[in-house]
Amino acid sequence: MTLSRAIEAGARRGPAVLESLRGRDAATAFARDPGSPLPAPPQVTVLAGARKPYNLPTGPEVAVTVQQELATRGLGAARRRAADWAARAATSDVERARLEGAATAALAWIDLLEAEGLIRVRAATSDDAAKLAAIAEARVTSGVATAVERALARAEIGASRLALLDGEGRETEARLALAHATGTPPTERLVAEGSLASAPEDGAEPGAVLGGVASHPSVRAAEARAAQAEADGSVTRALLGPTLSVGGTVWREGSGDHAAAALVTLPLPFFDASRHDVGRQATIAAAASGHAARLRAELAHEASLAIHEREHTREVREALHDGVVEPLRSALATAMTAYSAGTSELAVVLVARRSALAAEERFVTATADVWRADVRVGALAGTLTRGVIR
């Protein structure tokens, strides 16, 4: 699996994406039908009985009243506005989840590539350990070295095998994480196709990264939720506010007479029954607005760190390669040659070998950190999924 395929699969099938898509579908359906503009359904009241007055004919007496309650604060518009903001929040949340899924998959892919690189380094070191053990065995057999050197050389073989087992464990963990992030069955054996040495050198400009924070899907989703909470307060205010009722009644008296009348019920503005619920909803909206502001500030902080990290990881990689890895490679080769010729001690070889191995592994991790820094910059700039999801 290449990095681009991992990013696409994470953006399309990541666990967070599948979860957010359900919310978006429900919010879209809600926006299409946000509910009735009426606070309550119409009511029908039926009064039936019998009247038996003196000296008059007896008969049934029936009265039918139909009444509709109407909101005075624009309930229909408030419900439409709240449903529209719910749909906007859900849509932005899908974009956020796609970025999150793509970044998670990309980082898992890098972890797998790093684990594969460490296994290659440790496999090469294991071969060197076998050569060292063979040299030590020959020196002991010829009588120029003690059995201690042979035991120490064999211990290097055991240590190399343990390091390989550890690398295989890391590889399995990274492979399963990549499968989970991309929606791939865990039974499928994934391999990271690529090279750590081919990290791209171009990236988003610092200004573009910082400028993209304000329009980041996470910020837009948080701001939409704050607007939705405020719109829900308007719905509560309209729903629990004063209402008027209109209707009519018809009746038949027991004497056989018929009559009809219109009904109008007007509210008396003595108190506002919605004050408590509107105030409670206002606190929720204020908290959501504060969360959006805090998220925007945190993303700006993370963006500044990511920009620095992008440059810093490259400096570390170059300094490690030129100042540590290359000298230790040369030192190990020289020490092995000298030990084979009998002009050097095993202790010198062991020190050079272990120092070189540590440097090689650190260099693999440092190179992987360059990739990780680029992924974080792309996620914060919102460009990681550009061209992947249309």
Side-chain angles (χ1 to χ4, degrees), residues 130-323:
K131 294 177 183 178
L132 181 63
I135 297 172
E137 183 69 30
R139 285 170 58 86
V140 172
T141 303
S142 63
V144 298
T146 65
V148 175
E149 289 192 10
R150 178 170 55 195
L152 289 173
R154 288 178 178 176
E156 287 297 296
I157 295 178
S160 297
R161 289 175 179 172
L162 285 176
L164 271 175
L165 289 174
D166 176 73
E168 291 171 359
R170 290 185 59 171
E171 181 189 30
T172 299
E173 183 178 353
R175 185 175 65 252
L176 291 176
L178 179 59
H180 178 67
T182 57
T184 305
T187 54
E188 184 174 340
R189 185 174 180 83
L190 295 175
V191 176
E193 181 182 342
S195 172
L196 284 175
S198 61
E201 295 303 323
D202 56 338
E205 293 295 329
V209 178
L210 294 173
V213 168
S215 60
H216 195 275
S218 296
V219 174
R220 286 192 280 111
E223 291 175 343
R225 290 192 190 95
Q228 178 191 354
E230 184 178 351
D232 286 339
S234 298
V235 173
T236 301
R237 181 175 179 275
L239 184 62
L240 299 181
T243 61
L244 60 87
S245 298
V246 295
T249 182
V250 295
W251 67 89
R252 178 192 182 279
E253 295 185 350
S255 61
D257 294 334
H258 295 77
L263 294 175
V264 177
T265 303
L266 299 177
L268 297 177
F270 291 150
F271 69 97
D272 186 358
S274 67
R275 179 179 297 176
H276 171 79
D277 294 276
V278 170
R280 179 170 55 83
Q281 189 62 38
T283 62
I284 297 175
S289 179
H291 173 72
R294 180 172 68 87
L295 181 61
R296 190 184 305 108
E298 288 180 350
L299 285 178
H301 171 68
E302 291 180 13
S304 299
L305 287 178
I307 292 170
H308 167 75
E309 190 69 12
R310 187 177 185 278
E311 301 301 324
H312 179 71
T313 53
R314 282 166 167 77
E315 292 176 359
V316 170
R317 180 190 61 183
E318 299 306 320
L320 187 59
H321 179 269
D322 298 337

Side-chain angles (χ1 to χ4, degrees), residues 12-224:
R12 291 185 182 276
R13 302 191 302 270
V17 177
L18 299 181
E19 177 186 10
S20 64
L21 285 174
R22 291 191 176 186
R24 185 190 65 180
D25 293 342
T28 301
F30 176 42
R32 286 196 298 265
D33 185 14
S36 172
L38 301 175
Q43 294 182 334
V44 176
T45 303
V46 179
L47 175 66
R51 180 182 293 184
K52 297 181 180 180
Y54 293 103
N55 303 322
L56 290 176
T58 60
E61 185 161 317
V62 180
V64 178
T65 301
V66 178
Q67 201 165 6
Q68 175 62 62
E69 190 176 6
L70 302 176
T72 60
R73 292 178 174 174
L75 178 60
R79 280 176 167 168
R80 286 192 299 271
R81 186 166 57 254
D84 181 63
W85 277 115
R88 293 189 194 182
T91 300
S92 296
D93 194 61
V94 169
E95 296 178 26
R96 175 206 57 79
R98 291 198 190 281
L99 268 178
E100 177 185 324
T104 301
L107 292 174
W109 182 89
I110 295 169
D111 289 344
L112 180 56
L113 195 64
E114 179 186 6
E116 292 170 354
L118 289 175
I119 287 177
R120 285 192 294 271
V121 168
R122 292 172 182 180
T125 304
S126 182
D127 294 339
D128 290 341
K131 294 177 183 178
L132 181 63
I135 297 172
E137 183 69 30
R139 285 170 58 86
V140 172
T141 303
S142 63
V144 298
T146 65
V148 175
E149 289 192 10
R150 178 170 55 195
L152 289 173
R154 288 178 178 176
E156 287 297 296
I157 295 178
S160 297
R161 289 175 179 172
L162 285 176
L164 271 175
L165 289 174
D166 176 73
E168 291 171 359
R170 290 185 59 171
E171 181 189 30
T172 299
E173 183 178 353
R175 185 175 65 252
L176 291 176
L178 179 59
H180 178 67
T182 57
T184 305
T187 54
E188 184 174 340
R189 185 174 180 83
L190 295 175
V191 176
E193 181 182 342
S195 172
L196 284 175
S198 61
E201 295 303 323
D202 56 338
E205 293 295 329
V209 178
L210 294 173
V213 168
S215 60
H216 195 275
S218 296
V219 174
R220 286 192 280 111
E223 291 175 343

